[in-house]
Amino acid sequence: MPKKQRLVTHKKQTLVPHKATMSSTKRKTPDAPIKAGDPVRRTPRAEKTDAAVVPEFAALDAAAEGRVEYRKVRVPAHRYTPLRKAWPQIVTPLVEQLKLQVRFNPRSRCVELRSAPTTPDAGAVQKGADFVAAFALGFEVADALALLRLEDLFVDSFEVKDVKILRGDHLSRAVGRIAGADGKTRHAIENATRTRVVVAGTHVHVLGSAQNIKVARDAICDLIIGAPPGKVYNRMRTVAKRLHSRL
């Protein structure tokens, strides 16, 4: 015989929200309804004073901050002999002008720079590192010293293969076009753009201001691509004259 099924009835439960939640879920009604054509309401702004207050901050001092800035510049093997010969000329401005502590670590083959309690400027360590790095790339000490004296000088480095992929004799010819016979092409670019150019293998390093570096880099890229040197000279000189006339 089939079993009798029991009918189970569930009472409906009504959820009553809490008073706190009801008050929080109420929407704030505006004071007056907004109709089409009503003028836009603008909140009044604070009146500007004629004399703006400009804060004055004292110059940063590395010793006052309590931090010791530290930089390491690796020297390639072919720059050991020039570094040994020019070491007094390199150390003198770093110690006397920037008040830094400098040493050469033969184990890591790096020039190490560190700020001292007498270092007046917090950015002196970075300036010194840029100076040593420029010398390590192949620039003369007199040219690299300009990085310590002037603020708007930079070093731009690129490779011949970044401009055009060349191999074998084509690559050596491109490097030869940049240097020229007895370095005449390189000297012409330096004199016209007021920069310094170093050709180290397939790498090219340019030292100068941002605008002059752009002019010199464009001329070098044209030579790498294969443009005639005469056209490159004329174009470079006209651009350099315009640039110098603006300055």
Side-chain angles (χ1 to χ4, degrees):
M1 297 217 23
K3 296 181 180 180
K4 294 182 180 180
Q5 296 181 355
R6 296 181 180 179
L7 297 176
V8 181
T9 57
H10 296 280
K11 295 182 179 179
K12 293 182 180 180
Q13 297 180 357
T14 57
L15 299 177
V16 180
H18 198 265
K19 293 182 180 180
T21 58
M22 289 179 65
S23 60
S24 61
T25 54
K26 288 182 180 180
R27 295 183 180 179
K28 295 182 180 180
T29 57
D31 298 339
I34 300 174
K35 298 179 181 179
D38 291 347
V40 180
R41 299 177 183 176
R42 297 181 179 179
T43 57
R45 296 182 180 179
E47 297 180 358
K48 297 182 179 179
T49 58
D50 297 336
V53 179
V54 180
E56 295 182 0
F57 299 100
L60 292 177
D61 190 359
E65 291 183 0
R67 284 189 308 175
V68 177
E69 296 289 337
Y70 181 80
R71 296 289 187 280
K72 257 205 271 194
V73 181
R74 187 170 181 82
V75 181
H78 68 278
R79 297 296 292 173
Y80 286 164
T81 303
L83 180 68
R84 190 182 300 110
K85 292 180 179 179
W87 182 251
Q89 304 173 9
I90 295 172
V91 174
T92 301
L94 294 176
V95 175
E96 294 183 357
Q97 297 180 13
L98 302 181
K99 308 295 182 183
L100 299 176
Q101 298 177 354
V102 189
R103 73 172 183 178
F104 178 74
N105 192 344
R107 291 185 178 180
S108 60
R109 298 180 180 180
C110 296
V111 177
E112 301 176 355
L113 300 94
R114 187 176 67 178
S115 62
T118 57
T119 303
D121 188 10
V125 180
Q126 186 60 44
K127 285 184 180 180
D130 294 340
F131 164 63
V132 178
F135 178 81
L137 290 176
F139 293 99
E140 297 292 334
V141 179
D143 298 333
L145 273 173
L147 292 170
L148 301 180
R149 298 172 181 171
L150 302 176
E151 295 291 338
D152 59 342
L153 292 185
F154 308 94
V155 177
D156 186 15
S157 302
F158 63 94
E159 197 174 356
V160 176
K161 293 181 180 179
D162 297 339
V163 182
K164 187 177 182 181
I165 299 176
L166 300 172
R167 296 182 181 87
D169 295 338
H170 299 285
L171 181 60
S172 59
R173 289 192 197 100
V175 176
R177 285 196 296 270
I178 298 171
D182 298 330
K184 291 182 180 179
T185 305
R186 181 173 63 86
H187 291 313
I189 294 173
E190 289 179 349
N191 295 332
T193 59
R194 298 181 183 178
T195 57
R196 290 293 177 265
V197 181
V198 171
V199 182
T202 59
H203 292 79
V204 182
H205 312 289
V206 186
L207 170 65
S209 62
Q211 295 177 344
N212 294 340
I213 285 175
K214 185 179 183 303
V215 177
R217 187 178 58 210
D218 293 342
I220 294 171
C221 292
D222 292 340
L223 291 172
I224 293 173
I225 293 171
K231 290 184 178 180
V232 175
Y233 294 157
N234 295 332
R235 192 183 311 162
M236 179 182 57
R237 285 170 184 169
T238 54
V239 174
K241 285 181 181 178
R242 292 176 187 172
L243 186 62
H244 298 331
S245 63
R246 292 176 185 177
L247 296 176

